[in-house]
Every structure is written in C-alpha cells, then in structure tokens.
Amino acid sequence: MLNAVYTQEPLPELGEFLKVCRARLSPRAVGLPESGAPRRVPGLRREEVARLAGISPRAYARLEQGRAPVSRPVLAMLARVLHLDDDQVAHLFDLASKGDQEPRRLSAQKVHPQLRRILDDLTTTPALVLGRRTDVLAWNPLAAALLTDFDRIPVKKRNYARLLFTDPAFRELCLDWRTNARTCVAHLRLEAVRYPGDPGLAALVGELSVADADFRQWWAGRQMNGLRMGTKRLRHPIVGDLTLDWDSLTCAADPTQKLLVSTAAPSSPSHDGLLFLASWTADSHRPARDATA
C-alpha cells in the first residue's frame, strides 16, 4: 500500500493547503540560496517545491490545482519539504483521501421558527443565528446596531467568517480581533470534519485563503479547539468600548444552527451601553430579520 494512489477526483482543499504551506516558508528555511531579488509571491515558488520534492513543476502545479492523483510517497516527500508537523501531516493525508467521497451539496438553510421567536423576544440582548459555515441566518435589531447592518450585505455573502476577515469596519470594531478570528477558523475546521466535500465550505476557505494572510496561516496550523463561550471587547462608534460575554447555544431541533448572544455584567458601563443601543433601535420599531427577508 506504500505506493497507493489516493484519488483522481478534484481536491481543491488539498491544493489550497499546499499553497498555504508553501507561502509560509522562505528559501533560507529549506536550504535554498536567496538572491535578494523581490519575489512575486510570498514564500517558496512552485518550481522550488517541485525540485526539492523530486517531481516535475507541471506535476506539482496540478497538485495545487487539485487535479492530479496523489501517492503516499509524494505526500510524504512534500510533508518533509514543507516542514509539516505531525498534525499537519495527518491533515495533508486526510485531505488527499477526501476525493473518494462524493461532494455533499447541502440545501440552503432557513432559521428555525423557535429561534426566530427567541430573537423576536430578545430586545435588550444582541443575538444572531449562525448556520453552517458561519452563515448569518437571522439577527435582531440590537445585533445589527452593535455589529453591522446585515441588510446591506447580499444574502449569499452574509457570512460571519467573511465579515471578520474581509470587512475593514468589522475588523476595526473587534479590539481582540485575532482571538475572535482564530476561534472562527477553528470552528470552520470542525465544519470541514463534519461535512467533508462540502463545495460551499471549500469555496469559502479558498476565498478567505486568498484574501487574508492570517487566515492562510491559521488554516494551515490545524487548530480545531473551537469555543462555545468567551469574552469579546468591542469599540463601538456610538457607545464606545464594550466588554461582552458571549455564549453559543445549539438548536436541539437543528444542531447546525446556533444562537449567539452577548451580555454584559449588570450596572456595568457595557450594560449601560447595550441599553442605550436598545433604546435607539426601539425607536425604529424594526422586528428581528433573517437571511430571506
């Protein structure tokens, strides 16, 4: 079985993982001379990885495009060339084996009616419902006032991870952005385990890998210890700095949907800030919204 070929099916996630691993290595790290000339891409070039691994540049290019069969010896050599640790090696082999699985085209989600009712009743607590891939399925007016105007975002782009990594205003809002972003990456990794071959998740990971260097690095790092609760600090343009405790509650009727709520200690400045925002949003008499509204 040493020389077994894993698959000839498309492997876009394997290609993205190889790109991320290649981008984080310098020529000096793998024993190559550095000319000092500027490089068009970060890290190693495709040709350099191919030469070190003993395969043709064309064959390696096809691997990064997810279009070539992969053997165990080639994967083992790439793992050594790219300086992967044990967890990353396991992830590399896991990605290479996924081509044997049929892609699961998951149906579009709608917020569960019970979660909809809970959102409608939460008038002084910001809350939103996340579905698969951290898609934002619904939110109440206070969540929109606190985080962003979700209505302005097209339904197909309304995704929490995408906002964290690509929306400058959302990033500026989060004082502990790196902690929140890494938690989000870990959550997406767990999603990839639960739904292998999900083309929507693969597309999101590919998009964020291209858009953000931190995402590329953390996705390659294989962190999977997602959190269900924690503390976040925000700098809101209207009410100033807020320290909020957040909790993630899983819907029993549909475990792929989670209600995220944020609260503050009673009588604290953050609690007063939320009450002010709540009174401000109440003047508009807006009901909670969902992704199909």
Side-chain angles (χ1 to χ4, degrees):
M1 296 296 292
L2 179 63
N3 295 310
V5 173
Y6 270 115
T7 181
Q8 295 190 34
E9 296 296 320
L11 293 170
E13 290 188 47
L14 173 64
E16 290 299 330
F17 183 70
L18 290 172
K19 291 177 188 176
V20 170
C21 295
R22 171 168 64 86
R24 65 184 175 85
L25 287 176
S26 67
R28 179 178 298 177
V30 296
L32 293 176
E34 295 193 62
S35 64
R39 289 181 163 246
R40 296 175 58 188
V41 295
L44 298 177
R45 299 186 179 96
R46 281 180 175 177
E47 296 78 10
E48 292 168 334
V49 175
R51 183 165 73 251
L52 291 168
I55 60 178
S56 72
R58 182 179 180 184
Y60 180 76
R62 289 177 62 83
L63 280 177
E64 285 201 356
Q65 294 162 3
R67 298 191 296 120
V70 192
S71 68
R72 292 185 66 91
V74 168
L75 286 175
M77 181 59 71
L78 287 172
R80 287 194 290 272
V81 168
L82 296 172
H83 293 192
L84 304 187
D85 61 27
D86 290 343
D87 285 341
Q88 291 167 335
V89 170
H91 185 57
L92 177 71
F93 278 78
D94 181 56
L95 289 176
S97 68
K98 285 184 178 178
D100 295 329
Q101 304 169 3
E102 285 292 325
R104 298 179 60 186
R105 296 199 174 275
L106 304 173
S107 58
Q109 287 185 286
K110 292 184 178 181
V111 62
H112 191 275
Q114 186 173 353
L115 295 182
R116 165 85 286 144
R117 293 195 295 271
I118 293 174
L119 280 181
D120 289 337
D121 287 341
L122 292 174
T123 57
T124 60
T125 300
L128 64 160
V129 177
L130 299 186
R132 294 186 299 264
R133 317 178 197 106
T134 72
D135 289 338
V136 179
L137 302 183
W139 61 93
N140 64 4
L142 187 51
L146 178 68
L147 299 174
T148 189
D149 182 4
F150 294 105
D151 273 325
R152 68 177 174 82
I153 305 169
V155 172
K156 292 184 178 180
K157 295 290 185 179
R158 203 176 283 156
N159 177 277
Y160 193 85
R162 181 182 285 111
L163 284 168
L164 265 179
F165 284 97
T166 67
D167 188 319
F170 207 85
R171 183 183 293 234
E172 186 176 349
L173 175 71
C174 302
L175 293 178
D176 44 6
W177 178 86
R178 293 181 68 84
T179 299
N180 290 324
R182 295 198 73 160
T183 298
C184 195
V185 172
H187 179 79
L188 289 178
R189 281 212 161 280
L190 293 173
E191 289 273 303
V193 172
R194 294 189 186 103
Y195 305 103
D198 174 15
L201 180 57
L204 177 64
V205 169
E207 175 191 342
L208 298 183
S209 295
V210 171
D212 190 272
D214 285 324
F215 184 92
R216 291 196 299 272
Q217 178 184 354
W218 297 334
W219 186 261
R222 197 176 158 77
Q223 177 189 1
M224 297 182 68
N225 54 333
L227 301 176
R228 292 183 177 273
M229 60 185 299
T231 301
K232 59 185 175 183
R233 297 181 302 121
L234 305 177
R235 176 157 293 163
H236 195 273
I238 295 176
V239 296
D241 290 0
L242 301 171
T243 298
L244 304 176
D245 297 319
W246 65 270
D247 207 337
S248 173
L249 309 174
T250 301
C251 177
D254 182 358
T256 67
Q257 298 190 29
K258 293 178 173 56
L259 177 70
L260 266 65
V261 295
S262 298
T263 60
S267 302
S268 66
S270 296
H271 185 258
D272 292 341
L274 287 183
L275 291 179
F276 178 84
L277 275 182
S279 64
W280 180 63
T281 57
D283 292 339
S284 64
H285 301 290
R286 292 180 297 171
R289 300 295 303 275
D290 61 53
T292 59

